Amino acid sequence: MQYFAEDFDPQEYDSLTDLSGNENVTLMCHNETKKLIVRKIISGINKELYKQLVHVRHKNLVQVMGLEETTSNCYTYEEYINGETLAEILAKGPIQEEKAVHWIRQLCEAVRLLHEQSPSIIHRDIKPDNIMLSSDGVIKLIDFDASKEFTPNKQRDTQLVGTPNYAAPEQYGFASSDPRTDVYAMGILFHELITGYKPNEINFSYKGRYGKIIQKCIELDPKKRYQSVQELERQLGVHEVTGLIEHIPGFRTGTWWKKEIALGAYIIIAVFMTASVCSEWNLHGNIVKSLAVLGCWVILFVPPYILITNFLRLREKLPLLRSKFIIVKVFGAVLYLLLWLLLFSSTTSIERRL
């Protein structure tokens, strides 16, 4: 039995080597394009689910390109991901909250798409080993060996699968797995990303900004959890908006006197800029010229402010400045300085002509 995507032909690929010493996973290379893929030996139990996954494409899901069953084995052909598992990353220590939220939101997109299939696909084994961060910074959910198609009104799972400490109680025969099962595992993962530990491994409870979200995810009773990944996504979005003020320089440390000084400085700058615009309006009565003056002040202050204070860590996201090499960073800083001066010069020139 063979079931392949329309744009995939395994005959065009040559086997290279077992991946990471695992004889069940083979790295393969396209004859012409040199594109790499992975061939895996899987249990035949989930072959119908893998056939469904051939038609599911998303940047945060490993791409399944085909399924092939022989007399001896059942194989899947999947996208090769150049990167690290979250387990390998966590071995180096916990992740900053901002980055952890970004990764969880990417994971939400992948899991939501699985749940939106007909029938819904429940992953049932969300854990650091089954999530990869590609070399270009994209989260990828992999390994569907424990997954199942959701059956409404089913009393309990017939197969007890999952990984201890990540599997929800219903995966141990107490009820049937459903989308809330994956929400539970995502809560455990979220906690581990931020603290470096799973909730049951430590004697203290995480009390940070996302503590209530995590606690709701990992409720033992599925009815008390978020009822869908969409609910979890919405709550994460609300926290990102309300938490924006915590990223503003002067407010990031939480120290009251620094907040007072920062607030005073921001008020003075705002008053100064407003006074300049109003003065220009009183002199010339030209709204366009007044807005041009405001634009000059914004261009003068905002770009240096963002780069110097690293607001929202934008400095770490800009091309060249995020490089590991000092010479590239210096070149990037000089280039951005020249662009800033050119932009400011152009704006002031336009303002004078008005």
Side-chain angles (χ1 to χ4, degrees), residues 201-220:
E201 290 182 326
I202 50 179
N203 294 323
F204 68 91
S205 177
Y206 167 70
K207 300 293 185 182
R209 183 150 55 100
Y210 298 97
K212 291 183 179 179
I213 291 179
I214 291 173
Q215 187 56 48
K216 189 171 179 65
C217 286
I218 62 176
E219 288 284 354
L220 296 180

Side-chain angles (χ1 to χ4, degrees), residues 27 40 63 101 103 105 131 166 174 197 220 246 275 337:
L27 187 65
K40 293 173 55 180
Q63 182 182 341
V101 172
W103 290 355
R105 293 195 73 172
I131 302 165
Y166 295 97
F174 294 101
Y197 298 94
L220 296 180
E246 297 179 13
L337 175 62

Side-chain angles (χ1 to χ4, degrees), residues 279-291:
S279 175
E280 190 64 38
W281 170 257
N282 291 332
L283 285 174
H284 303 284
N286 187 333
I287 185 63
V288 176
K289 188 172 179 63
S290 299
L291 291 175

Side-chain angles (χ1 to χ4, degrees), residues 233-329:
E233 283 183 295
R234 283 195 293 270
Q235 197 60 38
L236 287 171
V238 168
H239 269 67
E240 281 196 324
V241 172
T242 56
L244 181 61
I245 192 171
E246 297 179 13
H247 296 285
I248 298 176
F251 292 82
R252 292 184 292 203
T253 62
T255 307
W256 70 268
W257 62 268
K258 289 184 179 179
K259 289 183 179 181
E260 296 290 339
I261 293 174
L263 180 61
Y266 291 136
I267 291 174
I268 290 172
I269 293 172
V271 169
F272 180 74
M273 292 174 64
T274 303
S276 297
V277 173
C278 291
S279 175
E280 190 64 38
W281 170 257
N282 291 332
L283 285 174
H284 303 284
N286 187 333
I287 185 63
V288 176
K289 188 172 179 63
S290 299
L291 291 175
V293 170
L294 177 61
C296 288
W297 284 117
V298 170
I299 292 172
L300 178 64
F301 284 113
V302 173
Y305 167 84
I306 289 175
L307 290 179
I308 293 172
T309 63
N310 198 20
F311 179 58
L312 292 178
R313 300 188 179 277
L314 292 177
R315 193 170 62 206
E316 300 170 9
K317 301 172 184 176
L318 288 172
L320 302 179
L321 293 184
R322 65 187 180 192
S323 173
K324 298 179 181 179
F325 303 102
I326 297 297
I327 189 169
V328 177
K329 286 186 176 181

